[in-house]
Amino acid sequence: MKTLQKGFTLVELVVVIVILGILAATALPKFVDLRSDAATAANAGVAGAINSASSINYAACAAGNFPAANTAKCQVLTTAALSCATVAGNLLQGGVPSTVTVSGTVDCSGTNISGTCTVAANPAVTGATNATATLLCTR
């Protein structure tokens, strides 16, 4: 009389473990480098927030002639050597996040209509890409 045996052999189990090991070894480098990707995304997000805040500020200054209340919402940017960090801190509600550093100066004197600022990870992350934000000058 034959008995039915169920289960896996030792060879089958070893083959499965080897395949899982190979998959883990090829997938691990992708997960190790996520810090630089996250820092790059954070830089781009803050740069986008600065761009939006600058556009809203420009619109509030341009519309300031209509209701008098709008002039309180306008940060006038008409001088030379404006610190990007200071202007961005004033434009963003809650200020600039501590995970990034905004650097550079903007010259809003004369006929200049905008300037660029650099947004970088704080502390610096190897492999992270800096982002560029544009500040619009007001008149």
Side-chain angles (χ1 to χ4, degrees):
M1 192 177 271
K2 251 185 177 178
T3 60
L4 293 174
Q5 293 184 354
K6 295 181 180 182
F8 297 105
T9 65
L10 184 60
V11 173
E12 292 172 328
L13 292 174
V14 169
V15 169
V16 169
I17 290 172
V18 168
I19 291 172
L20 289 175
I22 291 170
L23 289 174
T26 57
L28 186 63
K30 180 65 181 167
F31 294 113
V32 170
D33 195 24
L34 288 181
R35 181 174 161 92
S36 64
D37 292 343
T40 299
N43 294 345
V46 172
I50 292 171
N51 289 339
S52 295
S54 179
S55 296
I56 291 169
N57 182 61
Y58 182 82
C61 292
N65 296 331
F66 297 107
N70 275 351
T71 57
K73 298 177 183 177
C74 170
Q75 180 178 349
V76 179
L77 305 175
T78 57
T79 60
L82 292 168
S83 167
C84 286
T86 303
V87 173
N90 291 338
L91 289 178
L92 295 178
Q93 185 175 4
V96 176
S98 62
T99 56
V100 297
T101 301
V102 179
S103 60
T105 57
V106 175
D107 181 10
C108 284
S109 62
T111 59
N112 296 333
I113 58 171
S114 67
T116 58
C117 303
T118 302
V119 181
N122 181 28
V125 176
T126 304
T129 305
N130 295 342
T132 303
T134 302
L135 290 177
L136 300 174
C137 301
T138 58
R139 295 282 179 252

